[in-house]
Amino acid sequence: MAKRWWIIGGIAVLAVLAVAAGPWIYGTWIAEDDAPAAAVSTSGAQAAEGDVNGQWTVVPGTDPNTTAAGYTVHEILNGASVTVVGSTGEVSGSATVDADKLTAADVTVQVASIATDNSRRDGQFQGMVMNTDEFPTATFTLDGPVDLAGVPTDGSTAIVTANGTLTLKGVTRPVTVDVEVLRSGTDLIASGSIPVTWTDFGVTPPSLGFVTVDGTGTVDFLVSLQK
């Protein structure tokens, strides 16, 4: 009888330890940060061809500089600290460069197509978080000229600062973003991450018991453009 109770007691202790250690096990051995948001790569970059001035259109691009946009946010998932990156290639837009200055630019993202590695998370994002049926797109519009004269033509990059208007979930606010720019062959490539406080755009970060999402994050983009 004593041996039986010792076995039962041991099983109970193991069960308690499993519950207590579960989040640590998940965070240490299972949960992983997503790959960082897409950023300009100079791998295989070529010297620029032609004039930077003219009308440019967002195109799918080629690896490693394929067009993508989305978000980066930190969350606590089942007790684990995780960095989540959602992205989509469903991005359109255009830009105008005149006298070596970016004078106009707009980018539109199909929000419902933004995906992570977790379909359950994506369902919450499309529904409760972003209500993509009512607000299917997010947009960025340039508000003032950006000098591109300092962007190298040798396949290296430069950082420029752009002021614009970001619209998420039907809410429009001014933003400032540092943009990395590359001219490679006939391509003009740009990437950046716009810091955002989600509630400024009417977005309520989920807090559902098993997951708590930070109140701040970034809206990320990499756009490849051609004339």
Side-chain angles (χ1 to χ4, degrees):
M1 180 65 72
K3 182 177 180 180
R4 178 185 176 189
W5 283 110
W6 180 86
I7 293 172
I8 294 173
I11 292 172
V13 169
L14 289 174
V16 170
L17 288 174
V19 171
W24 177 84
I25 293 171
Y26 185 88
T28 302
W29 301 106
I30 301 175
E32 295 182 355
D33 291 341
D34 287 348
V40 168
S41 172
T42 58
S43 176
Q46 305 170 358
E49 298 178 18
D51 192 344
V52 71
N53 297 307
Q55 188 69 31
W56 298 81
T57 301
V58 173
V59 296
T62 56
D63 190 59
N65 289 314
T66 54
T67 291
Y71 68 91
T72 298
V73 71
H74 173 263
E75 68 180 23
I76 302 298
L77 176 64
N78 293 328
S81 176
V82 180
T83 298
V84 176
V85 177
S87 65
T88 178
E90 294 191 24
V91 182
S92 59
S94 62
T96 302
V97 182
D98 182 44
D100 292 340
K101 289 183 173 59
L102 180 66
T103 58
D106 65 85
V107 176
T108 299
V109 181
Q110 300 300 318
V111 180
S113 65
I114 295 174
T116 67
D117 62 351
N118 186 307
S119 60
R120 183 179 180 186
R121 179 193 292 122
D122 297 340
Q124 291 287 337
F125 174 81
Q126 295 162 10
M128 178 183 69
V129 177
M130 294 301 294
N131 189 8
T132 57
D133 286 343
E134 183 175 356
F135 306 104
T137 62
T139 61
F140 173 84
T141 303
L142 186 71
D143 285 346
V146 178
D147 190 357
L148 300 182
V151 176
T153 59
D154 63 356
S156 58
T157 66
I159 303 293
V160 299
T161 299
N163 295 312
T165 299
L166 178 66
T167 300
L168 295 178
K169 204 175 180 181
V171 177
T172 298
R173 295 181 64 90
V175 294
T176 299
V177 56
D178 290 332
V179 183
E180 186 172 16
V181 182
L182 169 69
R183 293 188 64 194
S184 176
T186 59
D187 295 337
L188 180 64
I189 302 159
S191 72
S193 293
I194 304 170
V196 296
T197 298
W198 302 118
T199 54
D200 287 347
F201 292 90
V203 177
T204 302
S207 182
L208 303 175
F210 66 92
V211 61
T212 301
V213 178
D214 280 7
T216 59
T218 59
V219 171
D220 313 309
F221 63 90
L222 185 154
V223 287
S224 182
L225 303 103
Q226 291 183 346
K227 291 183 182 180

